Amino acid sequence: MQLSYSQIHEIGVFVGGSNFIGDVGATDYISPDSPTLGVMYKWNVSPRHSWRASIIYSDLKAKDNSSDDPRRIQRNYEFDSNLLELSAGLEFTFFDFDLHSATKLATPYLYSGISVANHDNHYFLNGVQTPENTSSWVIGIPMALGFKTTFIDGFVFGVEVGARYTFSDEIDGSSPSNPSNQQHRFGNINNNDWYVFSGITLTYTFGENPCYCPSN
């Protein structure tokens, strides 16, 4: 006889904040200053790992006057951009997290995979954010660290901080999307943009109990 785990599912929400790391604004790694909201789904294929997908929206912002760099403070650029991210990947727990256990569970976890995000395009004209009236999709790599615990019956509560490294330098407007606006390019062209989501998760679990199944 061997223990076979059934497909245990979770669906829930992510609520928190975001911050940007690039050529505009502060360079703090974790400094949520813009509202962020999303939904997520997990398929727990074992007590140690889960396939995970999410859709997260953020009103992403950055302000030079929040920076410790006197050059940025003097420049005083700021931007505000809508960002919608779709992400999928693998979540790995440090300890077994069997959702059918009768005892309270808690574990740190890591999450990574791939993300695609849609953002507004803009550039800076005379120091003012100027829309290009287009949007772009950017590919990224999410890298998240979190801690989760069983809450009340059927619910899991978590705290998570996740950085996204993107393969783009366009989010902050330092590299305009429109070729006709390239004269307004600025900043370090060798560094791509990052953004960070920090917040809490609350998911509801459902699925069949594990069963003992005969081995072949």
Side-chain angles (χ1 to χ4, degrees), residues 185-207:
R185 191 170 185 172
F186 67 92
N188 188 340
I189 62 175
N190 296 315
N191 286 348
N192 289 337
D193 296 330
W194 294 70
Y195 58 92
V196 181
F197 291 153
S198 307
I200 62 173
T201 64
L202 182 65
T203 59
Y204 175 73
T205 66
F206 58 99

Side-chain angles (χ1 to χ4, degrees), residues 38-128:
V39 295
M40 63 172 51
Y41 164 77
K42 297 181 186 181
W43 172 26
N44 299 291
V45 293
S46 86
R48 296 295 296 274
H49 71 283
S50 309
W51 294 110
R52 165 175 157 177
S54 63
I55 302 174
I56 298 177
Y57 168 80
S58 179
D59 181 21
L60 192 64
K61 299 178 182 179
K63 297 181 179 180
D64 278 347
N65 60 18
S66 299
S67 173
D68 294 328
D69 186 340
R71 293 168 300 180
R72 293 196 180 191
I73 295 174
Q74 183 178 17
R75 185 181 63 186
N76 199 30
Y77 282 6
E78 64 178 84
F79 77 87
D80 186 337
S81 178
N82 298 313
L83 183 139
L84 181 67
E85 181 199 80
L86 288 75
S87 174
L90 183 68
E91 182 178 295
F92 176 80
T93 62
F94 285 43
F95 308 114
D96 282 355
F97 200 77
D98 180 3
L99 292 173
H100 293 295
S101 173
T103 60
K104 185 176 181 179
L105 304 171
T107 181
Y109 65 86
L110 297 173
Y111 167 70
S112 187
I114 190 168
S115 63
V116 291
N118 184 266
H119 65 86
D120 300 330
N121 291 323
H122 65 270
Y123 66 100
F124 286 90
L125 180 62
N126 298 323
V128 178

Side-chain angles (χ1 to χ4, degrees), residues 164-183:
R164 272 69 169 170
Y165 170 78
T166 74
F167 296 94
S168 171
D169 194 29
E170 294 183 357
I171 296 177
D172 57 10
S174 64
S175 181
S177 177
N178 192 326
S180 65
N181 294 324
Q182 290 303 303
Q183 71 270 24

